Amino acid sequence: MEQFYGLIGADMSAVDAVIRQRLHSDVVLVRQVAEYIVQGGGKRLRPALVLLAAGALGYDKGTFHHELAAVIEFIHTATLLHDDVVDGSELRRGRETANALFGNAASVLVGDFLYSRAFQMMVSVNDMRIMQVLSDATNVIAEGEVLQLMNCHDADLDEAAYLKVIRYKTAKLFEAAAQLGAIIGGGNAAVEAGMAAYGLHLGTAFQLIDDVLDYSGAEDETGKHLGDDLAEGKPTLPLIFVLRNGSEPQAAAVRRAIESGGRDDFPQVLAAIRASGALEYTRRRAESEAQLATAALAPVAASQYKDSLLELAFFAVARNY
């Protein structure tokens, strides 16, 4: 990852400066909550994706890539604030969540501030195509959040329906980030479509590995408690696999856990997931998505930036945090 960020290190520093500047508000609580969540670490993959995609297209016409990378990070941060309230989460990236520290009301309202600030910033770029991509993405992400809410405690959810949630809720912002880089870089229709597809498949792979890590990662590396998704009644792909392919007792334990939520059945569910091959299956599905992502870059000319995009697809499935 250090080598990966080395190529765009100066640009990432510029994005951080934009973020700090754009976080300013005369309302103290807005500044406190926004700065707390933005400065809480994270891989910053989504803004990095804007920079890499723009670099792969040879963008050198100004600083719009910095502004748009910050927009993407603000939208992502707003979703985190709202997600943690909806899920009742208390830990993210090894720290207290904003809602645990400042309360649900402050988290929701500051999330709204970040969304609206992101829209102010995208308007300043003065490009209708960019505004269309970002506004559409934000709307789809909201639909994904509602889909996930509707699917909670539903043990009959199938793999196709779950992948739809992933593509709406998580992968859509990856798609928009890569597509924005292609747009400002002046890519033709084939290149723009390829970048968008790359982002979509990368984001899907990324979320599938998050599903794996929810049952196999080290808490000090992932920054969250094992089994958080299960406690919230979310039927992620490892659980769906056990329901369809595990033994009758394994499937029964998973069904009970999804329908009731909580952590009472976590030891049995964890054993079922590990014994049934669910984690291996989910990882294979993530690897397939990563392969689709790299294939989608075929129309993009060779460069160091393209090499980094290819490496990023590998990292998405090889990571342990």
Side-chain angles (χ1 to χ4, degrees), residues 191-203:
V191 168
E192 183 182 332
M195 275 294 189
Y198 167 83
L200 183 69
H201 291 299
L202 177 72

Side-chain angles (χ1 to χ4, degrees), residues 151-158 233 235 239-240 243-244 251 254-256 258-259:
N151 293 336
C152 278
H153 305 292
D154 182 3
D156 295 317
L157 189 75
D158 62 18
L239 299 176
I240 293 169
L243 286 167
R244 303 294 176 265
V254 168
R255 176 174 289 275
R256 184 170 60 250
I258 290 173
E259 291 178 348

Side-chain angles (χ1 to χ4, degrees), residues 111-256:
D112 293 343
F113 166 83
L114 289 173
Y115 269 131
S116 57
R117 179 55 51 88
F119 273 78
Q120 286 179 322
M121 293 165 66
M122 75 175 74
V123 168
S124 71
V125 177
N126 197 29
D127 186 311
M128 187 58 70
R129 180 78 177 118
I130 286 171
M131 287 189 279
Q132 179 188 8
V133 169
L134 282 168
S135 58
D136 287 350
T138 306
N139 192 252
V140 169
I141 292 166
E143 289 181 319
E145 298 283 0
V146 177
L147 273 177
Q148 179 174 264
L149 181 65
M150 291 170 59
N151 293 336
C152 278
H153 305 292
D154 182 3
D156 295 317
L157 189 75
D158 62 18
E159 182 173 329
Y162 177 62
L163 288 175
K164 181 178 180 180
V165 172
I166 285 181
R167 292 193 171 111
Y168 276 39
K169 181 178 178 290
T170 301
K172 189 64 180 178
L173 194 57
F174 281 81
E175 177 188 25
Q179 190 174 358
L180 290 179
I183 292 171
I184 64 173
N188 61 33
V191 168
E192 183 182 332
M195 275 294 189
Y198 167 83
L200 183 69
H201 291 299
L202 177 72
T204 304
F206 189 85
Q207 182 58 56
L208 288 172
I209 293 301
D210 268 4
D211 292 350
V212 170
L213 295 176
D214 195 50
Y215 295 99
S216 65
E219 292 190 4
D220 60 341
E221 292 181 333
T222 62
K224 59 182 288 191
H225 298 304
L226 286 182
D228 273 354
D229 288 340
L230 181 68
E232 295 156 13
K234 295 178 182 176
T236 58
L237 190 55
L239 299 176
I240 293 169
F241 180 87
V242 176
L243 286 167
R244 303 294 176 265
N245 301 280
S247 67
E248 189 172 330
Q250 289 172 340
V254 168
R255 176 174 289 275
R256 184 170 60 250

Side-chain angles (χ1 to χ4, degrees), residues 159 163 208 237 281-289:
E159 182 173 329
L163 288 175
L208 288 172
L237 190 55
Y281 174 77
T282 304
R283 190 174 289 278
R284 287 197 302 273
R285 291 290 289 110
E287 289 169 352
S288 296
E289 291 291 330

Side-chain angles (χ1 to χ4, degrees), residues 241-318:
F241 180 87
V242 176
L243 286 167
R244 303 294 176 265
N245 301 280
S247 67
E248 189 172 330
Q250 289 172 340
V254 168
R255 176 174 289 275
R256 184 170 60 250
I258 290 173
E259 291 178 348
S260 62
R263 296 181 178 276
D264 292 346
D265 295 304
F266 182 67
Q268 300 96 302
V269 170
L270 185 60
I273 286 173
R274 292 177 173 175
S276 67
L279 296 181
E280 293 78 5
Y281 174 77
T282 304
R283 190 174 289 278
R284 287 197 302 273
R285 291 290 289 110
E287 289 169 352
S288 296
E289 291 291 330
Q291 289 167 5
L292 290 171
T294 58
L297 291 178
V300 180
S303 69
Q304 281 186 294
Y305 291 96
K306 180 177 179 178
D307 290 343
S308 288
L309 290 169
L310 295 171
E311 284 294 323
L312 183 54
F314 172 78
F315 167 77
V317 296

Side-chain angles (χ1 to χ4, degrees), residues 23 29-39 110 113-114:
L23 277 180
L29 185 59
V30 169
R31 292 200 306 271
Q32 288 178 327
V33 178
E35 288 173 5
Y36 179 80
I37 186 75
V38 169
Q39 295 174 6
V110 173
F113 166 83
L114 289 173

